[in-house]
Every structure is written in C-alpha cells, then in structure tokens.
Amino acid sequence: IEAVNFTNNYGEDLREIVFHLYPDSYEKTDTMPALSPIPEKQITEEQKGNIDIIDVTSSNQKLSFTEDNQILKIKLLSPLKSGDSIELKISFTLKIPQGYGRFSYSSDIFSLTNWYPVLSIYDPTCDKWDENPFNPIGESNYSDVAHYDVKIHIPNDFVVVSTGVTKNEETLGDKKTVEINAENVRDFVFILSKDYKVISKDVSGIKVNSYYVNDEAKPVAQRMLDLASDALIFFGDSFGKYPYPELDIVETPLAGGAMEYPQLIQMGRYPYPQGHDINMMYTDWLDEAVVHETGHQWWYVSVGNNEFKEPFMDESITCYSTAYYFEKRYGKYDQRGILTSVRM
C-alpha cells in the first residue's frame, strides 16, 4: 500500500491526480525497456512484468480511477483547491519480470526501480499532467521531489540496498522489517540479495558503500568505491556539495550499462581478476560508467528535469562532466577526456 500526502502547489484547482505506472512498460515487448527491439516470441510470461491497481481511497472513501497506457488517473470527489492537501492510499500488486533489466530479478538479486505509482507533474500553462510513457531506449523518468518513509518486509537473510538511510531494522523469526527514510529525492529504489557483501568509506562525512556478490569481485568493487568517492569530491568541488548522507554502488545482473538513481548507482556484473592485477584488467568502461553515474547525482538527481523532452539537461551535461573529470584527473589527452570525447 502506498500512502501519498499531496499538496496542490499549482495555483489552480485540480479535479484529478495522475500517476505514472512505469512497471507496465514491461508488459509488452514493444514497450519493454531494451537496447534493441525484442521479438515477442523470445519473451516468456516470466519475463514480463506489470503493476495492477486494486483500489484508491481518500479519507476511507473509494475513488474512481482508470489505468491505461502506463498512466493511473484518479478522479477526486471534489476539486482540490490551490494550497489544499489530500492523502491518497493506493493498493496495488506488482509482478517483477525475470531478466536483466533495471526492474527485474535474476540469480536471487531483485532490482526494484520505478516500481510503484509515481506521482506525475502537472503543467498549469497547458492544463495537462505529464502522461509520457516510459521510453524503451534511454530514460524518460519525470517526477517531483518528495520525502519517503518506506517499510520493507522481507526474509531476514536478505540485504537491502536503497535510496535514503535505514532508520530501523527489526527481526521476528525468519522475517524482518526494514524502515528507510529518504528526504528530498526524485524517486525511491531498492535492490535485494542474500549474497551481498559491502565495503565502505567515509568521504567528507558522506558514507559511500560498494556492494558486490562474489569474493572474487571484491577488487573491482574496491575500484568502483575508490573512483565513485573521488568523483564525489571532484563534482562536489566543481558543482556544489553532494546533498545526501550516503551513496551506494551496487553490482546487479543489469545488461547493457549502468543506471543512476537518487543515492544509488546500479552497475552490471563485475569481471573477476582471477589472480591478475586489477590495474591490468580491461576496466576502462566500468571506470567511466561509475564516474558517469556519480555525475548523474547532480544532473538528474539534484537538478532534475524532464528527461524525455530535455535530454541535454540530464545526459549531455553528465557526459561532459564525466569527460571533464577524466581530463582533470588523468590529463588533457586521456582517451576518456574532453578532447577525445568531442572528436568521437
């Protein structure tokens, strides 16, 4: 159940409230996020996901709603006047797809990203809520800043990695409840696994954590921890202090890249050095990815914008910031620096 306390700050009365249902993008192959089109015959029912709304209430009264094209529209019993607030309770079920996507499960790792009804943003200039569905290629998240208080009920042998900070954890038998608080964030994600191990360091009062699955991957996890920590300092000095108390870097089965979320970087599987010096391995892509996703903690997480309509404010500035980091840290002619990146 999701409880939403919403204040109408749009300067005019609202007769409905709209939410994004991003998990429904995993219901069909033509909307499923992927690097290339997926033939329908290659996908099983296990590999599909969705979200179903059971009911919506306010003050114990049921509200009518529609659920279509990744959008939930809730009809209010009376207009919500400018400055007034309402609490909505949304009951829903979630089907997590099997696979290697941002929202998926594989090898006992569960990645829950863009997994709940996400409040849309209203544009008073055109009297419309944003109803853009999730784009199959790239990103199109668009949501406002909010405070989150989340309770997760799971088996007690699972490790939770999430946006925000864990405030309390209570175990009863073979179950546990984890309470998490996240303030001033654009969305809330969490990733679960029984196998996670973690190494951490303090960076100017910010706790940076690097989660990995197998002991053989620890050298890579350490490298990701060190690079993210250094990038955190660099970007903080360049663009303004990182505004949150923690940052997590998490190894997952994610295919095709890495992905940014508030206070959390979702990486793919790590290679194993297998006795070789980590510095002798091909890690350029991973190095660039973790610095790039750290940069997104400023461009997307802190600044925020409509990624679908204004991709330059998100992806392009982050690409430039990444190249800027490598130029200043490794020299003007580093292959990941500005000169090489611009030529490519």
Side-chain angles (χ1 to χ4, degrees), residues 12-196:
E12 58 185 65
D13 295 354
L14 298 174
R15 291 172 173 78
E16 66 178 8
I17 297 178
V18 174
F19 288 77
H20 291 283
L21 300 177
Y22 291 129
D24 278 344
S25 65
Y26 287 83
E27 206 163 23
K28 299 181 294 183
T29 56
D30 59 344
T31 60
M32 191 175 292
L35 295 176
S36 59
I38 305 171
E40 182 71 34
K41 63 183 179 181
Q42 292 185 8
I43 295 294
T44 66
E45 287 304 310
E46 284 288 318
Q47 294 171 303
K48 295 180 180 180
N50 61 46
I51 183 170
D52 283 323
I53 306 303
I54 299 171
D55 62 37
V56 181
T57 62
S58 178
S59 301
N60 295 319
Q61 290 184 287
K62 286 195 173 186
L63 304 181
S64 61
F65 63 88
T66 60
E67 183 182 356
D68 184 52
N69 196 29
Q70 302 178 37
I71 289 295
L72 168 66
K73 292 185 178 181
I74 301 170
K75 180 74 173 177
L76 301 179
L77 296 175
S78 59
L80 183 66
K81 296 186 178 300
S82 178
D84 285 355
S85 300
I86 189 173
E87 181 181 69
L88 301 172
K89 289 187 178 179
I90 306 172
S91 179
F92 64 95
T93 60
L94 189 69
K95 181 178 182 291
I96 306 172
Q98 182 186 54
Y100 308 101
R102 298 165 187 163
F103 170 60
S104 65
Y105 75 92
S106 177
S107 302
D108 287 332
I109 297 176
F110 297 81
S111 300
L112 283 97
T113 67
N114 305 127
W115 57 276
Y116 57 94
V118 175
L119 182 66
S120 180
I121 293 181
Y122 178 73
D123 186 349
T125 63
C126 57
D127 190 28
K128 288 183 179 180
W129 292 84
D130 176 64
E131 296 183 15
N132 186 60
F134 200 89
N135 197 284
I137 299 175
E139 297 104 47
S140 47
N141 312 62
Y142 185 36
S143 55
D144 213 338
V145 167
H147 301 317
Y148 289 79
D149 290 302
V150 181
K151 286 186 178 181
I152 303 173
H153 306 280
I154 51 174
N156 62 16
D157 54 352
F158 272 88
V159 176
V160 181
V161 190
S162 74
T163 299
V165 177
T166 298
K167 292 297 186 182
N168 190 43
E169 190 171 306
E170 293 184 0
T171 300
L172 183 61
D174 60 352
K175 306 291 184 183
K176 68 179 176 183
T177 300
V178 181
E179 297 183 29
I180 300 166
N181 173 256
E183 295 189 357
N184 294 314
V185 294
R186 296 199 173 275
D187 53 70
F188 180 90
V189 305
F190 68 101
I191 298 174
L192 305 170
S193 176
K194 297 177 182 178
D195 302 318
Y196 275 144

Side-chain angles (χ1 to χ4, degrees), residues 264-283:
L264 190 148
I265 296 170
Q266 183 184 21
M267 303 293 290
R269 284 290 195 187
Y270 292 154
Y272 300 156
Q274 297 179 335
H276 299 289
D277 183 350
I278 182 66
N279 294 305
M280 300 299 291
M281 295 177 60
Y282 179 74
T283 55

Side-chain angles (χ1 to χ4, degrees), residues 145 162-164 183-187 189 206-209 228-229 231-233 235-236 239-250 258-267 289-305 307 313-315 317-319 321-322:
V145 167
S162 74
T163 299
E183 295 189 357
N184 294 314
V185 294
R186 296 199 173 275
D187 53 70
V189 305
I206 300 162
K207 187 179 182 183
V208 184
N209 306 300
S229 298
L232 205 64
I233 295 170
F235 292 137
F239 308 130
K241 183 175 171 59
Y242 178 74
Y244 303 109
E246 288 189 14
L247 175 65
D248 298 323
I249 306 105
V250 193
M259 185 61 191
E260 74 281 357
Y261 304 98
Q263 297 179 253
L264 190 148
I265 296 170
Q266 183 184 21
M267 303 293 290
V290 77
V291 171
H292 179 91
E293 306 307 341
T294 302
H296 271 299
Q297 297 299 313
W298 280 262
W299 316 118
Y300 165 65
V301 172
S302 296
V303 172
N305 69 298
E307 295 177 322
M313 286 295 295
D314 173 47
E315 202 62 50
I317 292 182
T318 302
C319 287
S321 301
T322 305

